[in-house]
Amino acid sequence: QAVTIARAAFQSAGYLRVSVLEGFGILALPSEGPQAFFTHRVVYVSFHTHEDAPPEYVAWVDLTERTVVESWEE
């Protein structure tokens, strides 16, 4: 779901290359502090030509709200 949300956001912003890249997601969890988890499920999503290639596009996706919190081109 996070990859689909991020891909759609990049495409709607005109980054059409994202449609030919592989998307990968990692659940984001804070490692310190009084809260062990975010109050929202946040996934770090990255898009690459293949799994060993550096990312070309990156986004933080809030699955609770189904929105992109932040995104950027590498």
Side-chain angles (χ1 to χ4, degrees), residues 8-31:
F10 277 116
Q11 288 174 327
S12 70
Y15 297 99
L16 302 181
R17 176 161 166 69
V18 77
S19 64
V20 299
L21 299 174
E22 290 185 66
F24 302 91
I26 302 170
L27 185 61
L29 299 173
S31 59

Side-chain angles (χ1 to χ4, degrees), residues 33-44:
Q35 287 186 314
F37 300 92
F38 288 118
T39 57
H40 290 250
R41 291 190 59 161
V42 178
V43 178
Y44 170 88

Side-chain angles (χ1 to χ4, degrees), residues 38-53:
F38 288 118
T39 57
H40 290 250
R41 291 190 59 161
V42 178
V43 178
Y44 170 88
V45 176
S46 57
F47 294 93
H48 313 246
T49 54
H50 57 83
E51 66 183 33
D52 294 329

